[in-house]
Amino acid sequence: MKKQIIILTLIAALSASTTAFAAEIPRESAPLNSTEQQIQIVENLIGDILD
């Protein structure tokens, strides 16, 4: 039980210290059926969250 608490605390500490940077979605990694307009909308929606 104590080992699990230590592991969970370590995971929480490591995940809290990471940062994410918003960047444009590479067009090669976008789904095949997505349009340019859909990609721009998603970038606008999540860009502020990731900054």
Side-chain angles (χ1 to χ4, degrees), residues 1-17:
M1 181 71 176
K2 187 174 182 179
K3 192 175 190 178
Q4 289 177 339
I5 293 173
I6 292 171
I7 292 172
L8 289 175
T9 305
L10 181 62
I11 292 172
L14 291 175
S15 64
S17 64

Side-chain angles (χ1 to χ4, degrees), residues 18-38:
T18 59
T19 58
F21 297 103
E24 288 187 10
I25 300 170
R27 300 307 182 241
E28 303 84 34
S29 66
L32 296 175
N33 58 350
S34 62
T35 64
E36 184 69 26
Q37 183 180 11
Q38 291 171 329

